[in-house]
Amino acid sequence: MSGKDVAELASPAPRRAQAVFRIPLLLAAVTVGGLVAGLLGDGLPDVLAWFGLGLPVLACVYKCA
């Protein structure tokens, strides 16, 4: 292997911003939706708030476990 081949294997391929930020932006949108639902309603909006605020927590627990 030449030095160029080793350098190509060592460095990760660049990724597009869309691929990098897709999941964090989705979690941010779900969180904001949960906050708004929790502030503006009772009943079904409370259920949506629990889901919207619990999903990011579950995602973090899943990634850490």
Side-chain angles (χ1 to χ4, degrees):
M1 286 176 119
S2 68
K4 182 180 178 185
D5 293 334
V6 173
E8 287 177 3
L9 292 175
S11 63
R15 297 190 326 186
R16 295 177 49 194
Q18 180 182 9
V20 172
F21 292 110
R22 180 180 303 140
I23 299 299
L25 287 175
L26 177 66
L27 287 175
V30 169
T31 302
V32 169
L35 287 170
V36 170
L39 289 171
L40 296 180
D42 284 328
L44 180 61
D46 283 338
V47 174
L48 295 175
W50 274 99
F51 174 75
L53 296 174
L55 185 65
V57 174
L58 290 176
C60 290
V61 169
Y62 174 76
K63 285 303 282 186
C64 289

